[in-house]
């Protein structure tokens, strides 16, 4: 009977899949695809955890505030290091996103599938469930991010064959070997896109006495960052504040230099891939030799990273289609199965 009620509720509500990323949150609706993509950033009043009122306190409009807010406002990234660093703020953000996309039919609340980093603790899992429930979910299902990424990337994750997925996000890189719908080996490290930005900031400070913000560093990475030599190297302009004079200044920096600046974090990511492979059972390792490694997450888009990993690990490397949306599309695929399962249960229940 309970599942019949669930089934009925399902008729009056749409279900949501959420990729609660450290850099970006994506929401998809079953049958519609991705309906929201926003940076995981919230503008709050300093000292309190109160989210600013108005439509510009969450997402893209809050991200542009990073490093630019007046004294009483701070733009925060509640998931920065891959775990929920700030529960209250994370919950407000989640509520805002859910409410923005959920077309509530007759007051029925949505079921929600949330992809979570594989490294998080039971307490953190509970916190995500509570947050999503308080943010308006009727039921919350959690799925490990690497699995969602594997589904979204179109890997044969349910087959008894090993697939390797490397999801390079903002705060964390997750390296996982998947087989038969489970994670066989997995490593989650806190080195990903943010660390590349930080490496660029440090480089500018040390070598040019130039202080730059994290958004500027990210822009340099997107425009001029690479992990392997380019056919044509070039220069970009960097603006910041001079450490000595304290005054604003700009300078030019070349692509070789940006690559050199990011060398260490990129090396750490490649090492994580290597050690995960070393821990993989021989049969599965054999499958990976055949199938290669799939890259997902925004970091997969770093120019030349696929080539670089291929050179160092000596295995074929593929970038998933639309790597930034893999996890979200994976949660969407799972929603379809939840409905299917529920429908079957409901039918059986009626027998
Ligand atoms: P998360 O899942 O942690 O929210 P995402 O998968 O959304 O992270 O990826 C965000 C990261 O990807 C950021 O660090 C961003 O700078 C980086 N990124 C996005 N596009 C590119 C690109 N073209 N080249 C290099 N890095 C990129
Ligand atoms: Mg992610």
């Amino acid at each position: 009977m309970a599942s019949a009620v669930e089934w009925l509720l399902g008729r009056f509500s749409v279900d949501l899949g959420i990729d609660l990323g450290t850099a970006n949150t994506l929401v998809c609706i079953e049958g519609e695809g991705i309906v929201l993509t926003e940076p995981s950033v919230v503008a709050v009043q300093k000292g309190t955890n109160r989210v600013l009122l108005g439509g510009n306190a969450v997402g893209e409009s809050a991200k542009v505030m990073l490093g630019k807010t007046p004294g009483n406002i701070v733009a925060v990234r509640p998931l920065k290091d891959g775990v929920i660093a700030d529960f209250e703020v994370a919950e407000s953000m989640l509520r805002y996103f859910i409410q923005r996309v959920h077309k509530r039919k007759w007051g029925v609340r949505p079921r929600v599938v949330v992809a979570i980093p594989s490294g998080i603790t039971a307490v953190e899992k509970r916190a995500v469930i509570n947050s999503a429930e308080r943010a308006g979910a009727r039921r919350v299902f959690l799925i490990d991010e690497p699995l969602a990424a594997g589904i979204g990337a179109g890997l044969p994750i349910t087959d008894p064959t090993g697939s390797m997925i490397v999801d390079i996000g903002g705060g964390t890189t997750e390296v996982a070997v998947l087989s038969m719908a489970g994670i066989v080996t997995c490593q989650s490290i806190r080195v990903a896109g943010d660390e590349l930005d930080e490496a660029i900031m440090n480089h500018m400070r040390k070598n040019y006495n130039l202080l730059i913000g994290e958004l500027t560093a990210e822009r340099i990475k997107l425009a001029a960052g690479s992990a392997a030599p380019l056919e044509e190297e070039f220069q970009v302009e960097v603006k910041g504040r001079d450490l000595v004079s304290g005054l604003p200044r700009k300078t030019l920096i070349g692509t070789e230099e940006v690559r050199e600046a990011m060398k260490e974090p990129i090396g750490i990511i490649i090492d994580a891939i290597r050690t995960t492979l070393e821990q993989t059972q021989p049969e599965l390792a054999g499958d990976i030799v055949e199938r290669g490694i799939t890259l997902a997450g925004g970091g997969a888009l770093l120019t030349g990273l696929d080539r670089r990993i291929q050179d160092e690990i000596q295995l074929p490397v593929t970038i998933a289609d639309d790597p930034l949306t893999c996890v979200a599309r994976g949660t969407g695929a799972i929603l379809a199965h939840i409905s299917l399962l529920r429908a079957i249960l409901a039918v059986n229940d009626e027998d």
Side-chain angles (χ1 to χ4, degrees), residues 32 84 125 174 178 185 208 210 221 233 247 265-266 309:
E32 277 183 46
I84 300 192
K125 279 184 189 166
E174 311 239 340
L178 312 173
T185 343
Y208 291 84
L210 195 66
K221 176 181 72 179
E233 306 283 350
L247 297 175
I266 289 175
I309 297 172

Side-chain angles (χ1 to χ4, degrees), residues 22-336:
T22 63
N24 298 296
T25 297
L26 285 78
V27 182
C28 70
I29 294 183
E30 196 200 333
E32 277 183 46
I34 293 165
V35 293
L36 178 144
T37 305
E38 291 275 356
S40 310
V41 185
V42 187
V44 297
Q45 227 145 25
K46 202 169 188 172
T48 71
N49 270 335
R50 202 162 323 129
V51 176
L52 293 188
L53 294 176
N56 61 356
V58 186
E60 190 59 52
S61 40
K63 182 175 179 182
V64 297
M65 294 183 200
L66 280 173
K68 289 190 180 176
T69 49
N72 57 337
I73 299 172
V74 271
V76 290
R77 292 178 49 194
L79 294 127
K80 196 166 184 204
D81 293 311
V83 293
I84 300 192
D86 193 322
F87 288 113
E88 266 176 69
V89 178
E91 192 179 310
S92 306
M93 184 178 82
L94 205 54
R95 180 180 308 119
Y96 174 82
F97 289 145
I98 289 178
Q99 286 173 354
R100 219 175 82 189
V101 302
H102 186 242
K103 300 169 199 110
R104 204 183 264 236
K105 294 184 203 160
W106 300 345
V108 180
R109 303 188 304 155
R111 281 181 306 202
V112 175
V113 172
V114 189
I116 47 155
S118 55
I120 82 173
T121 63
V123 174
E124 287 167 338
K125 279 184 189 166
R126 193 64 243 168
V128 174
I129 294 176
N130 290 344
S131 290
E133 280 174 354
R134 278 198 295 264
R138 170 168 103 252
R139 282 283 313 264
V140 183
F141 304 88
L142 301 183
I143 175 169
D144 282 319
E145 237 168 356
L147 271 180
I151 296 171
L155 299 180
I157 66 139
T158 51
D159 292 359
T161 177
S163 307
M164 176 173 256
I165 184 103
V166 180
D167 180 353
I168 308 166
T172 57
T173 295
E174 311 239 340
V175 185
V177 175
L178 312 173
S179 175
M180 297 179 70
I183 294 175
V184 185
T185 343
C186 177
Q187 199 180 151
S188 177
I189 56 166
R190 294 192 179 175
V191 176
D194 293 340
E195 290 277 325
L196 301 181
D197 302 346
E198 258 164 55
I200 294 172
M201 289 167 80
N202 290 340
H203 178 85
M204 295 312 293
R205 200 187 58 236
K206 278 193 210 134
N207 298 279
Y208 291 84
N209 275 330
L210 195 66
L211 284 179
I212 61 169
E214 53 186 301
L215 286 188
T216 302
E218 186 184 26
R219 266 184 237 120
I220 298 170
K221 176 181 72 179
L222 300 188
S226 59
L230 305 177
E231 246 167 56
E232 272 179 61
E233 306 283 350
F234 56 92
Q235 292 193 313
V236 286
E237 195 177 74
V238 180
K239 298 184 202 113
R241 186 161 62 83
D242 191 282
L243 258 177
V244 182
S245 72
L247 297 175
R249 177 164 70 83
K250 59 186 179 187
T251 184
L252 285 174
I253 171 170
T255 43
E256 295 101 326
E257 206 179 327
V258 180
R259 186 159 62 243
E260 182 63 27
M262 301 190 303
K263 200 170 142 190
E264 199 182 312
I266 289 175
I268 296 174
I269 292 171
I270 297 177
D271 279 344
I273 298 175
R274 189 175 288 121
T275 53
T276 307
L277 284 168
E278 283 165 6
Q279 290 159 12
T280 305
Q281 297 147 24
E283 290 292 347
L284 293 172
D287 295 337
I288 297 166
V289 170
E290 285 301 313
R291 314 189 39 81
I293 299 170
T294 305
L295 304 184
L301 292 168
L302 181 69
T303 308
L305 184 62
D306 50 343
R307 249 188 304 142
R308 172 76 186 283
I309 297 172
Q310 192 155 326
D311 283 351
E312 294 214 12
I313 309 279
Q314 292 290 314
L315 289 177
V317 176
T318 320
I319 302 173
D321 283 341
D322 203 1
L324 279 159
T325 64
C326 273
V327 172
R329 285 184 287 114
T331 61
I334 290 158
L335 287 178

Side-chain angles (χ1 to χ4, degrees), residues 1-10 111 138-139 342-343 345-350:
M1 190 59 201
S3 46
V5 172
E6 262 291 321
W7 180 81
L8 203 62
L9 282 174
R111 281 181 306 202
R138 170 168 103 252
R139 282 283 313 264
R342 295 284 166 189
L345 290 174
V347 170
N348 287 346
D349 213 47
E350 282 159 11

